[in-house]
Amino acid sequence: MKKFFKRLLIILIAAIIIFISIFHKRIILTYALVNKYISLKNDNMRTPKINGLKMSQSMNYRDVIYKNTNGVPLTLDIYSSLKKDNNPSPVILYVHGGSWVYGDKNIPDALSPVLNTFREEGYTIISTSYELNRNKADFNKQVADIKDTIRWIYKNNSTYNIDPNEIGVIGVSSGAHLSLLAGYSSNDDFIDDKTLSKYSSKVKYLIDFAGPTDLNLLNTNDLNYDLTKIFNSIKDKDTVIKKFNPMNYVNKESPNTLIIHSSFDPMVPYKSSKELYNKCVQEHAKVELITLNSSVHDLSNISSTDIGSMSEGLLKFVIFNSPL
């Protein structure tokens, strides 16, 4: 019995040492990356760099077709790791916003410095497109497009030296809505490309920038022509809301989630993010919420203070979900 307790004590001490070493390493890495980001951001205010605000200047693969199921080739861009080693790279997938109708896969300037900071630490950034709604709403296809992007990453991981077990997703606005649905739903949900359906769509974590997570809260009374046409095409609104509300898919196995949302958002109610946060807590899914104070939705006029808090929180979240 004494030998048993002695061995147990040795195992526990070893486990504690390993835990502290990993935890300490991530604290140090967080501190280093936050300072590197601040330095990069300040440098770019003085002199533009190739790895600065404009990520498109250092893109490695542009308009890679990941599928074509509807007569519309869908493409993605790849920004490879800037770290020179042979280890498979963790992946951050970016999904653009635009009210499901507009937008493209160009990465916003507000996100470029922090994403390039990750590239310097060994991450690959992938920015994807999805089929935009034109004459009618087709959320099913759009969610399937995001899941098929993830499946494509699994399929092509060796070609681009990326680690499919280390995929995080950043979605903005409607892109966050689609990303949450893609990440929370099961692998057998939202199938489009049959050749990709045999691959996994599992991700490790999700970052939600002001996503409409409760469609019941959206104000659809004062929309432009395009959006009015889209929402008027929905005949059974209750069924659509039930199927495409990310909160309906949350469970204790859901990927870790970081929610970033302004309490003064003029387009998507901040309440929806609070509801998602509360649902994750209720279901014992890991979640964090960062509240911004700018009157901003799409990051276009975000304040420097909010850029700082957003970036630091994002850096910490990714690192503590990271293999680095």
Side-chain angles (χ1 to χ4, degrees), residues 262-266 292-297 301-303 306:
S262 170
S263 57
F264 298 101
D265 190 325
L292 305 179
N293 296 303
S294 307
S295 181
V296 63
H297 173 70
N301 61 335
I302 188 170
S303 71
D306 277 346

mmCIF file of all heavy atoms in Angstrom, residues 262-266 292-297 301-303 306:
data_model
loop_
_atom_site.group_PDB
_atom_site.id
_atom_site.type_symbol
_atom_site.label_atom_id
_atom_site.label_comp_id
_atom_site.label_asym_id
_atom_site.label_seq_id
_atom_site.Cartn_x
_atom_site.Cartn_y
_atom_site.Cartn_z
ATOM 1 N N SER A 262 -19.925 44.681 -29.260
ATOM 2 C CA SER A 262 -20.119 46.000 -28.673
ATOM 3 C C SER A 262 -21.493 46.114 -28.037
ATOM 4 O O SER A 262 -22.502 45.712 -28.629
ATOM 5 C CB SER A 262 -19.964 47.089 -29.743
ATOM 6 O OG SER A 262 -20.381 48.342 -29.220
ATOM 7 N N SER A 263 -21.517 46.681 -26.851
ATOM 8 C CA SER A 263 -22.806 46.885 -26.183
ATOM 9 C C SER A 263 -23.614 47.984 -26.866
ATOM 10 O O SER A 263 -24.804 48.153 -26.571
ATOM 11 C CB SER A 263 -22.582 47.247 -24.707
ATOM 12 O OG SER A 263 -21.756 48.400 -24.599
ATOM 13 N N PHE A 264 -22.968 48.730 -27.801
ATOM 14 C CA PHE A 264 -23.661 49.792 -28.542
ATOM 15 C C PHE A 264 -23.845 49.428 -30.011
ATOM 16 O O PHE A 264 -24.047 50.307 -30.849
ATOM 17 C CB PHE A 264 -22.887 51.107 -28.433
ATOM 18 C CG PHE A 264 -22.754 51.625 -27.030
ATOM 19 C CD1 PHE A 264 -21.563 51.453 -26.321
ATOM 20 C CD2 PHE A 264 -23.807 52.258 -26.399
ATOM 21 C CE1 PHE A 264 -21.429 51.918 -25.023
ATOM 22 C CE2 PHE A 264 -23.687 52.726 -25.103
ATOM 23 C CZ PHE A 264 -22.490 52.563 -24.408
ATOM 24 N N ASP A 265 -23.764 48.148 -30.338
ATOM 25 C CA ASP A 265 -23.894 47.693 -31.723
ATOM 26 C C ASP A 265 -25.232 48.170 -32.296
ATOM 27 O O ASP A 265 -26.288 47.834 -31.761
ATOM 28 C CB ASP A 265 -23.820 46.165 -31.773
ATOM 29 C CG ASP A 265 -23.700 45.621 -33.188
ATOM 30 O OD1 ASP A 265 -24.291 46.208 -34.108
ATOM 31 O OD2 ASP A 265 -23.027 44.595 -33.369
ATOM 32 N N PRO A 266 -25.197 48.952 -33.400
ATOM 33 C CA PRO A 266 -26.448 49.475 -33.959
ATOM 34 C C PRO A 266 -27.183 48.488 -34.868
ATOM 35 O O PRO A 266 -28.312 48.754 -35.274
ATOM 36 C CB PRO A 266 -25.960 50.683 -34.787
ATOM 37 C CG PRO A 266 -24.581 50.283 -35.226
ATOM 38 C CD PRO A 266 -24.004 49.473 -34.103
ATOM 39 N N LEU A 292 -17.165 45.336 -26.056
ATOM 40 C CA LEU A 292 -16.574 46.559 -26.595
ATOM 41 C C LEU A 292 -17.495 47.740 -26.308
ATOM 42 O O LEU A 292 -18.686 47.560 -26.019
ATOM 43 C CB LEU A 292 -16.348 46.423 -28.100
ATOM 44 C CG LEU A 292 -15.519 45.216 -28.562
ATOM 45 C CD1 LEU A 292 -15.392 45.209 -30.080
ATOM 46 C CD2 LEU A 292 -14.140 45.219 -27.909
ATOM 47 N N ASN A 293 -16.951 48.952 -26.423
ATOM 48 C CA ASN A 293 -17.726 50.149 -26.093
ATOM 49 C C ASN A 293 -17.868 51.117 -27.259
ATOM 50 O O ASN A 293 -18.465 52.178 -27.104
ATOM 51 C CB ASN A 293 -17.091 50.862 -24.897
ATOM 52 C CG ASN A 293 -17.124 50.008 -23.643
ATOM 53 O OD1 ASN A 293 -18.185 49.577 -23.213
ATOM 54 N ND2 ASN A 293 -15.962 49.740 -23.053
ATOM 55 N N SER A 294 -17.320 50.773 -28.430
ATOM 56 C CA SER A 294 -17.511 51.608 -29.615
ATOM 57 C C SER A 294 -18.899 51.347 -30.196
ATOM 58 O O SER A 294 -19.448 50.257 -30.048
ATOM 59 C CB SER A 294 -16.470 51.279 -30.692
ATOM 60 O OG SER A 294 -15.163 51.345 -30.184
ATOM 61 N N SER A 295 -19.443 52.353 -30.862
ATOM 62 C CA SER A 295 -20.695 52.138 -31.593
ATOM 63 C C SER A 295 -20.331 51.539 -32.938
ATOM 64 O O SER A 295 -20.258 52.214 -33.962
ATOM 65 C CB SER A 295 -21.455 53.464 -31.775
ATOM 66 O OG SER A 295 -22.666 53.256 -32.461
ATOM 67 N N VAL A 296 -20.064 50.232 -32.921
ATOM 68 C CA VAL A 296 -19.466 49.585 -34.081
ATOM 69 C C VAL A 296 -20.069 48.200 -34.262
ATOM 70 O O VAL A 296 -20.437 47.545 -33.289
ATOM 71 C CB VAL A 296 -17.931 49.489 -33.918
ATOM 72 C CG1 VAL A 296 -17.571 48.630 -32.729
ATOM 73 C CG2 VAL A 296 -17.275 48.944 -35.167
ATOM 74 N N HIS A 297 -20.181 47.780 -35.516
ATOM 75 C CA HIS A 297 -20.629 46.421 -35.786
ATOM 76 C C HIS A 297 -19.607 45.644 -36.608
ATOM 77 O O HIS A 297 -19.244 44.520 -36.274
ATOM 78 C CB HIS A 297 -21.975 46.423 -36.512
ATOM 79 C CG HIS A 297 -22.402 45.055 -36.949
ATOM 80 N ND1 HIS A 297 -22.804 44.084 -36.045
ATOM 81 C CD2 HIS A 297 -22.460 44.477 -38.172
ATOM 82 C CE1 HIS A 297 -23.097 42.977 -36.700
ATOM 83 N NE2 HIS A 297 -22.891 43.175 -37.985
ATOM 84 N N ASN A 301 -15.136 51.215 -37.834
ATOM 85 C CA ASN A 301 -14.815 52.449 -37.112
ATOM 86 C C ASN A 301 -14.565 52.173 -35.634
ATOM 87 O O ASN A 301 -14.920 52.950 -34.765
ATOM 88 C CB ASN A 301 -15.947 53.472 -37.278
ATOM 89 C CG ASN A 301 -17.268 52.957 -36.706
ATOM 90 O OD1 ASN A 301 -17.482 51.757 -36.609
ATOM 91 N ND2 ASN A 301 -18.156 53.869 -36.336
ATOM 92 N N ILE A 302 -13.930 51.044 -35.370
ATOM 93 C CA ILE A 302 -13.648 50.649 -33.996
ATOM 94 C C ILE A 302 -12.611 51.594 -33.384
ATOM 95 O O ILE A 302 -11.676 52.039 -34.050
ATOM 96 C CB ILE A 302 -13.156 49.183 -33.958
ATOM 97 C CG1 ILE A 302 -13.037 48.674 -32.521
ATOM 98 C CG2 ILE A 302 -11.857 49.001 -34.723
ATOM 99 C CD1 ILE A 302 -12.794 47.178 -32.425
ATOM 100 N N SER A 303 -12.787 51.910 -32.106
ATOM 101 C CA SER A 303 -11.862 52.825 -31.426
ATOM 102 C C SER A 303 -10.539 52.128 -31.136
ATOM 103 O O SER A 303 -10.459 50.896 -31.075
ATOM 104 C CB SER A 303 -12.482 53.306 -30.108
ATOM 105 O OG SER A 303 -12.527 52.252 -29.158
ATOM 106 N N ASP A 306 -10.765 49.961 -28.035
ATOM 107 C CA ASP A 306 -11.404 48.665 -28.266
ATOM 108 C C ASP A 306 -10.527 47.743 -29.103
ATOM 109 O O ASP A 306 -10.555 46.519 -28.930
ATOM 110 C CB ASP A 306 -12.768 48.846 -28.948
ATOM 111 C CG ASP A 306 -13.873 49.157 -27.950
ATOM 112 O OD1 ASP A 306 -13.643 48.965 -26.741
ATOM 113 O OD2 ASP A 306 -14.966 49.576 -28.376
#
